[in-house]
Amino acid sequence: MKPISRRKALQLFSSVPVTAAAIVWTSSETEAAQVQAQAARRQAAERGSPFKPKFFTTHEYATVTVLADLIIPRDERSGSASDAGVPEFMDFMMIDQPVRQTGMRGGLAFIDHICDARFDKPFIECTDDERKQVLDDLAYTGKVDSAFAHGAAFFSSFRDLTASGFWTSKMGIEDLQYLGNRPVAEWKGCPSEALEHLGVKYEGE
Amino acid sequence: MQIIREPKVYDVCIVGSGAGGGMAAKVLTEAGAEVALLEAGTMWDTEKDSMMFAWPYDSPRRGAATPEKPFGEFDGCIGGWDIDGEPYTNAPGTTFDWFRARMLGGRTNHWGRISLRFGPDDFKRRSIDGLGDDWPITYDDLKPYYDKLDQLVGIFGSMENLPNEPDGIFLPPPKPRCYELLVKQACDRLAITCIPSRLSILTRPFNGRHACHYCGQCGRGCQVHANFSSPSVLLPPALGTGRLRIISNAMAREVTTNENGLATGISYVNTQDKREYHVRARIVVLAASACESARLLLNSKSSRFPNGLANASDTVGRYLTDSTGLTVRGYVPKMANGVPHNEDGVGGMHLYMPWWLDNKKLDFPRGYHIELGAGGRRGVPSFGFMGNIERYNGVGGYGKTLKNDYRKFWGSVVSFSGRGEMVANDDSYCEIDPSVVDKYGIPVLRFHWKWSDYEIKQAKHMQDTFREIIQELGGAPLEAMPARDQHYGLLNGGRIIHEVGATRMGDDPKTSVLNKNCQAHEVKNLFVADGGPFVSNADKNVTWTILALAMRTSEYIAQERSRLSI
């Protein structure tokens, strides 16, 4: 057995402040800590080479890319799902959560099956109009013909995964104008525009 | 293989390094005791290992759950309801989900920091409504320890003078977020008490620890120790005495005893080399979590203790309760198209609703408090972001309209979670499974669970109330109310992770495991310092009371030790 020695345990806690002196946390210190934590993770991410899917076949990966971009297209505020790396993210998740694999593979096949039956070609070879005809049959809750119920269920979960991938990307978070995940020296509550939007105010203000 | 026995005899061996074990280690080492602290999981250092400030895109899985991080990969707690190689079983027809942490500090690494004192009534419920049992101690017995705890750990809150919601010694609470003010407006109109939350997060520098920097990520573990966890607050001073030895990866198998019926130490399996070791100690303190401590006692059988250690009363494993819990979410149109600003705040709600009604006028005996969920604030996006968008915009869809809907509806959903008191019942308990062992060869627990009418009616009241608040906000619930046969959405036992009881205290050795000092009736050098000793649960989270009770128990041990009476 190698129990951790007291010396080693103390090292683990060596930077814990144990004095009674009050420590004021300045914003420059918190920023330094944040920058340090980010840098290590960015370096790890940058070591990657061109992407090769580990789960999807080439055909599936092309289908995923087209489908994700139809769900979240480029607009005036930000890029598309594939611009934000959603297909790569989906490929990772299929390996990371294998329980998703059959549903994903089967769902993509189901969409190709609809396209084969209707247009005699797979989804990725369809025109924009043809693709939209198919999605219009699957994407709108409450308006789905029972013949397409399985395709609609797949589409809903694919849409969720697309949203997860897009809105957690750097591009997506900037698009949302999320302003947190940073140190704040003093919590002052919400700004007046936000309070006015909801018709509320702080007591005594 | 031979058991590896250490020659050293410690004054105290503590099993578990979470709230109770951390507190025992601090108090006892500072009182001069040489302490061995066993932790079944790994060492973990918040300063290096916490994912504080990580962006979702720093990881390819974008914060999704992993087998050992069911609350998401950035969460600060290693463990879960299912741990590979460490099963537990459920009696046919019943379900209890058992959450276990496997790391230094246990569940204190990611808990909600909701730090509520039990009130005077919570110690004498039987005297009030005839159900369950009274504690052998009162609020007044525990109050000095709650006070010391507030001053040691740091907690924010507001002085309210509410009945049965004792005020503490508080740091100033953070201002509410704007959507929380909106909820408070609605609650005021409905006469539901809505006050600043009481969380053990520092809004001012305190006892040498930094103040909070409001990133909202307490659950990931705070790199600057601005919130409470056992390794941030309790273990450093214990280590500083030079009298604490932490033994990690040590899965306790049993409490060993001698011919006089006294505890002699703990035998444990080293989870790395799979060999068996024995730590000797004059006093044993179990703080492995309510059910793990019960399991240890039940597995510590000998000719003198054929029913398990300290179990002549046959009550080890009994009187197990969890908080009741369910959540209702609602879309509030007024909150759509919110004004971008940093709403992170502290890692949790800034306002909450303590129990505000009189059960004498209701059809269920015990209350609940309401926690305000994170939905209304636009926190850092993570895996699962706005799943099932069709519930927000009514249609789902795709393309530019859908993309705009995500922007519009983000932060427009409020959620209310009820956390209520369950009355202990004869059908909810744990015992040793007759045939199943874990990968270390240690017999596992089998759970029995039943919600009674009390909890089911309380759940219905939660549903009605939360829907009423959502309506008052001008919103609409995202889901229909589950039916009676689904217990109105009441989550499985164990899901709220407030399980207590199983080694309850009491004055009568025939109906309790421990006396009023949390000392085993039958084994005077054996104590329990986790949630096990609780006689009843409350409409409050349990950690603050585990900490106060562990402090009281440990001071008792130190005092009796100096008198040489243990």
Side-chain angles (χ1 to χ4, degrees):
Chain A
M1 177 188 70
K2 269 178 64 188
I4 187 147
S5 67
R6 191 188 134 247
R7 186 198 180 93
K8 196 162 173 204
L10 270 174
Q11 281 169 2
L12 279 171
F13 293 105
S14 60
S15 46
V16 176
V18 288
T19 60
I23 297 163
V24 179
W25 189 242
T26 66
S27 53
S28 64
E29 277 173 326
T30 49
E31 272 160 33
Q34 184 191 17
V35 167
Q36 210 177 351
Q38 297 298 337
R41 297 190 189 103
R42 243 192 329 268
Q43 280 166 12
E46 279 164 10
R47 267 181 239 125
S49 45
F51 187 77
K52 281 185 204 140
K54 289 189 180 69
F55 169 75
F56 292 119
T57 64
T58 308
H59 173 77
E60 285 170 338
Y61 195 67
T63 309
V64 162
T65 304
V66 172
L67 205 49
D69 281 351
L70 282 165
I71 290 169
I72 298 191
R74 170 184 290 271
D75 67 1
E76 63 288 347
R77 201 149 126 182
S78 62
S80 68
S82 65
D83 290 338
V86 169
E88 292 92 324
F89 158 75
M90 286 194 185
D91 188 65
F92 176 88
M93 290 314 301
M94 293 305 115
I95 305 293
D96 197 53
Q97 299 184 352
V99 67
R100 294 176 178 274
Q101 290 180 1
T102 302
M104 173 64 84
R105 184 146 277 152
L108 295 171
F110 191 95
I111 293 212
D112 269 347
H113 169 70
I114 297 174
C115 296
D116 282 336
R118 206 179 282 182
F119 310 115
D120 202 24
K121 53 190 172 185
F123 183 71
I124 52 172
E125 287 171 27
C126 290
T127 65
D128 279 357
D129 271 357
E130 290 165 344
R131 288 167 181 168
K132 286 184 179 173
Q133 278 183 46
V134 173
L135 293 203
D136 287 343
D137 282 339
L138 305 179
Y140 296 94
T141 306
K143 295 179 189 166
V144 179
D145 188 282
S146 60
F148 300 123
H150 298 87
F154 163 73
F155 187 81
S156 176
S157 74
F158 190 92
R159 181 170 54 206
D160 281 352
L161 204 55
T162 304
S164 270
F166 182 79
W167 299 110
T168 61
S169 69
K170 194 161 190 294
M171 180 189 292
I173 288 172
E174 283 169 5
D175 178 320
L176 290 169
Q177 298 177 273
Y178 169 68
L179 299 174
N181 196 30
R182 65 193 67 189
V184 174
E186 191 192 348
W187 173 260
K188 292 176 181 160
C190 297
S192 55
E193 312 85 78
L195 296 167
E196 280 159 23
H197 179 69
L198 296 182
V200 293
K201 56 183 179 182
Y202 288 113
E203 255 175 70
E205 286 179 16
Chain B
M1 245 187 307
Q2 196 184 1
I3 295 172
I4 301 164
R5 296 171 207 280
E6 243 196 286
K8 177 165 178 161
V9 180
Y10 289 89
D11 292 315
V12 184
C13 179
I14 301 169
V15 183
S17 63
M23 180 59 80
K26 178 187 186 293
V27 173
L28 291 166
T29 54
E30 288 182 345
E34 292 279 336
V35 172
L37 177 66
L38 304 187
E39 166 52 49
T42 56
M43 295 301 280
W44 205 79
D45 179 359
T46 313
E47 290 181 22
K48 295 204 302 273
D49 300 329
S50 163
M51 294 303 282
M52 188 172 85
F53 290 138
W55 289 98
Y57 48 80
D58 290 333
S59 160
R61 69 171 66 76
R62 309 292 175 87
T66 65
E68 61 170 24
K69 295 276 187 76
F71 289 95
E73 62 176 326
F74 299 146
D75 187 67
C77 189
I78 300 164
W81 286 281
D82 297 296
I83 298 177
D84 186 40
E86 297 187 40
Y88 54 91
T89 63
N90 276 307
T94 76
T95 308
F96 180 84
D97 298 327
W98 188 24
F99 190 100
R100 293 154 294 166
R102 290 290 180 260
M103 66 188 301
L104 188 72
R107 292 177 278 182
T108 68
N109 287 290
H110 80 151
W111 70 303
R113 273 85 188 180
I114 300 170
S115 304
L116 305 173
R117 295 180 180 206
F118 278 22
D121 293 352
D122 296 319
F123 295 89
K124 50 178 186 188
R125 286 291 173 193
R126 185 180 184 85
S127 298
I128 295 171
D129 63 18
L131 300 172
D133 272 299
D134 290 348
W135 291 50
I137 59 171
T138 65
Y139 176 73
D140 289 338
D141 291 321
L142 210 50
K143 181 182 184 296
Y145 300 94
Y146 281 128
D147 287 349
K148 280 200 269 190
L149 184 61
D150 290 356
Q151 290 166 305
L152 168 69
V153 174
I155 169 176
F156 69 71
S158 57
M159 304 305 274
E160 302 286 345
N161 289 310
L162 296 170
N164 206 43
E165 306 289 338
D167 294 327
I169 301 167
F170 293 133
L171 298 169
K175 276 184 169 180
R177 302 172 179 98
C178 49
Y179 86 97
E180 293 175 316
L181 288 174
L182 191 70
V183 171
K184 181 170 167 51
Q185 272 186 353
C187 287
D188 286 349
R189 290 195 294 271
L190 296 169
I192 295 170
T193 309
C194 182
I195 61 172
S197 56
R198 296 168 170 188
L199 310 186
S200 45
I201 299 170
L202 304 181
T203 51
R204 294 286 182 277
F206 193 77
N207 288 347
R209 287 158 52 214
H210 288 297
C212 179
H213 52 248
Y214 306 102
C215 70
Q217 295 170 1
C218 288
R220 298 184 182 190
C222 183
Q223 288 175 356
V224 304
H225 312 288
N227 60 27
F228 173 77
S229 73
S230 168
S232 273
V233 181
L234 301 174
L235 297 179
L239 287 162
T241 64
R243 287 185 284 272
L244 176 64
R245 179 169 161 226
I246 297 172
I247 306 174
S248 60
N249 302 309
M251 174 61 66
R253 176 193 296 280
E254 68 178 291
V255 183
T256 55
T257 51
N258 65 13
E259 64 280 5
N260 301 318
L262 290 173
T264 55
I266 296 285
S267 76
Y268 68 90
V269 180
N270 178 318
T271 61
Q272 305 302 296
D273 69 13
K274 307 291 191 287
R275 297 192 63 184
E276 190 156 336
Y277 294 76
H278 185 240
V279 181
R280 292 194 289 168
R282 295 176 186 91
I283 294 166
V284 169
V285 177
L286 303 183
S289 82
C291 298
E292 282 290 14
S293 291
R295 178 186 178 203
L296 256 173
L297 292 176
L298 293 170
N299 276 329
S300 303
K301 287 183 186 173
S302 60
S303 52
R304 191 180 176 119
F305 300 105
N307 200 33
L309 190 58
N311 192 29
S313 64
D314 208 23
T315 56
V316 172
R318 298 265 162 188
Y319 308 105
L320 180 63
T321 59
D322 187 21
S323 294
T324 56
L326 63 82
T327 295
V328 179
R329 291 172 297 176
Y331 162 58
V332 179
K334 199 186 247 190
M335 287 164 55
N337 293 314
V339 178
H341 63 288
N342 182 353
E343 301 175 68
D344 285 351
V346 302
M349 61 200 181
H350 291 191
L351 297 178
Y352 89 116
M353 298 73 130
W355 180 234
W356 70 103
L357 295 172
D358 181 357
N359 288 96
K360 290 199 184 88
K361 298 171 186 162
L362 297 164
D363 67 348
F364 57 98
R366 305 291 168 83
Y368 59 89
H369 73 266
I370 311 173
E371 299 178 3
L372 199 42
R377 59 181 179 269
R378 282 153 297 180
V380 63
S382 188
F383 185 90
F385 183 85
M386 293 181 75
N388 295 318
I389 182 75
E390 56 270 33
R391 287 174 316 170
Y392 298 68
N393 66 5
V395 293
Y398 67 97
K400 288 188 178 181
T401 309
L402 173 73
K403 195 175 181 185
N404 271 325
D405 281 347
Y406 282 111
R407 295 165 179 149
K408 175 182 169 188
F409 292 108
W410 185 40
S412 65
V413 169
V414 283
S415 71
F416 300 96
S417 297
R419 296 288 181 262
E421 179 175 353
M422 165 192 179
V423 180
N425 64 58
D426 290 342
D427 298 311
S428 299
Y429 62 98
C430 58
E431 61 183 348
I432 297 298
D433 186 284
S435 59
V436 181
V437 297
D438 67 13
K439 67 178 171 185
Y440 309 112
I442 306 173
V444 308
L445 286 179
R446 176 167 69 183
F447 289 92
H448 298 251
W449 196 258
K450 189 177 177 186
W451 294 120
S452 77
D453 238 26
Y454 303 143
E455 290 80 38
I456 294 166
K457 284 178 174 163
Q458 186 197 62
K460 171 74 162 58
H461 193 273
M462 289 182 189
Q463 285 280 357
D464 289 337
T465 303
F466 304 166
R467 286 163 196 277
E468 197 182 358
I469 302 173
I470 290 165
Q471 193 177 24
E472 188 65 31
L473 287 162
L478 288 193
E479 295 98 6
M481 191 193 299
R484 171 81 174 64
D485 63 5
Q486 295 167 289
H487 298 163
Y488 302 108
L490 197 54
L491 295 172
N492 286 344
R495 278 283 147 180
I496 308 303
I497 325 182
H498 293 166
E499 76 282 2
V500 296
T503 58
R504 74 170 184 174
M505 56 204 293
D507 289 327
D508 183 354
K510 291 195 193 67
T511 60
S512 58
V513 181
L514 310 168
N515 67 19
K516 66 180 181 183
N517 296 308
C518 297
Q519 178 179 31
H521 288 299
E522 295 165 67
V523 187
K524 70 174 183 179
N525 67 339
L526 174 65
F527 296 81
V528 182
D530 49 32
F534 283 44
V535 178
S536 55
N537 218 314
D539 53 37
K540 302 162 178 87
N541 308 47
V542 296
T543 306
W544 218 238
T545 300
I546 291 175
L547 284 164
L549 201 56
M551 184 191 273
R552 179 175 177 272
T553 302
S554 305
E555 289 192 6
Y556 173 80
I557 294 170
Q559 180 193 322
E560 294 303 298
R561 182 75 192 141
S562 64
R563 280 189 205 150
L564 299 174
S565 69
I566 310 176

